């Protein structure tokens, strides 16, 4: 979410779940979301029942009766501090279309890939993210045998990335506040640790 247009209705998707912590900038612990196609909302089975999804949440009934429609998807009390952080983070999207965000994501990730290709000697890393911009979202993953150590060293040169087993350095590019210069700087930083 936040870097790729998802048209669930047009794609005839029945159910989807997702997160808001990464590209919607909600941060760790940010709320998840649930999508249920409208004609299924009164009938879908929510296996994680909670008082907030109950038809009568304050009724104190001994039997669980799901609420009507999408409300049955609620589980428990929403994490209010996380909801407030997400609400503030979403303000950054005011006036920005998902198309604009997507175009910038494609451009920024392409610049990063081009910079890695130019700055890092051939054979030192492998970009494992698809090079076709229509097949990637807002991340570029780079494989290197010392990935775990490099991720620990990157903050010393001004870049924060994360590590994924067995050998992946993962760079995330949120289009609202990471630009082309940032992408080149990240590639320069990685290259400086490899050469």
């Amino acid at each position: 979410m936040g870097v790729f247009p998802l048209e669930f209705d047009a794609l005839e998707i029945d159910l989807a779940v997702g997160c808001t912590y990464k590209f919607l900038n909600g941060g760790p612990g940010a709320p998840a979301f649930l999508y249920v196609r409208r004609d299924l909302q009164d009938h879908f089975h929510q296996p994680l029942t909670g008082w907030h999804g109950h038809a009568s949440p304050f009724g104190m009934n001994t039997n669980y009766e799901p609420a009507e429609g999408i409300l049955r998807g609620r589980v428990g009390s929403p994490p209010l501090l996380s909801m407030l952080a997400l609400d503030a983070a979403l303000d950054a999207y005011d006036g920005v279309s998902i198309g604009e965000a997507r175009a910038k994501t494609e451009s920024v990730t392409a610049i990063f890939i081009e910079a890695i290709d130019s700055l890092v000697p051939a054979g030192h890393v492998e970009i494992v993210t698809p090079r076709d911009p229509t097949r990637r979202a807002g991340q570029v993953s780079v494989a290197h045998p010392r990935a775990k150590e490099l991720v620990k060293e990157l903050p010393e040169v001004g870049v924060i990335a994360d590590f994924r087993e067995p050998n992946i350095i993962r760079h995330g590019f949120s289009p609202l506040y990471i630009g082309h210069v940032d992408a080149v700087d990240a590639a320069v930083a990685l290259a400086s640790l490899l050469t």
Side-chain angles (χ1 to χ4, degrees):
M1 297 305 293
V3 296
F4 201 88
L6 296 171
E7 299 176 5
F8 294 143
D9 290 334
L11 296 170
E12 299 180 358
I13 292 173
D14 293 339
L15 302 163
V17 294
C19 65
T20 61
Y21 71 90
K22 191 175 304 248
F23 297 111
L24 292 178
N25 307 310
F33 70 86
L34 169 69
Y35 167 86
V36 180
R37 198 177 72 216
R38 186 169 304 279
D39 64 314
L40 300 176
Q41 290 179 6
D42 283 329
H43 309 289
F44 80 96
H45 172 68
Q46 158 59 303
L48 302 173
T49 58
W51 78 275
H52 223 245
H54 195 284
S56 178
F58 296 103
M60 305 302 169
N61 300 328
T62 57
N63 294 325
Y64 182 79
E65 181 183 335
E68 291 183 18
I70 194 66
L71 295 180
R72 69 181 50 216
R74 293 179 175 168
V75 178
S77 299
L80 292 182
L81 293 178
S82 296
M83 296 288 280
L84 289 171
L86 177 61
D87 183 56
L90 290 175
D91 288 346
Y93 276 90
D94 287 350
V96 178
S97 73
I98 192 63
E100 292 168 320
R102 178 65 191 149
K104 186 172 177 198
T105 300
E106 288 183 7
S107 179
V108 169
T109 55
I111 290 288
F112 178 75
I113 291 170
E114 289 173 26
I116 291 291
D117 288 343
S118 297
L119 297 168
V120 177
H124 280 70
V125 296
E126 177 189 0
I127 295 174
V128 295
T129 299
R131 289 176 179 267
D132 176 356
T134 64
R135 296 193 57 231
R136 68 173 178 262
Q139 298 182 144
V140 176
S141 295
V142 179
H144 188 276
R146 290 189 333 104
K148 192 170 190 173
E149 292 80 21
L150 290 168
V151 165
K152 291 177 183 176
E153 295 170 17
L154 279 168
E156 296 170 17
V157 290
V159 173
I160 297 173
D162 66 358
F163 170 72
R164 291 292 187 265
E165 293 286 352
N167 63 345
I168 301 295
I169 303 167
R170 195 170 68 157
H171 294 83
F173 298 94
S174 179
L176 297 181
Y177 59 87
I178 295 179
H180 298 90
V181 171
D182 300 312
V184 172
D185 288 347
V188 168
L190 181 58
S192 74
L193 298 176
L194 295 172
T195 55

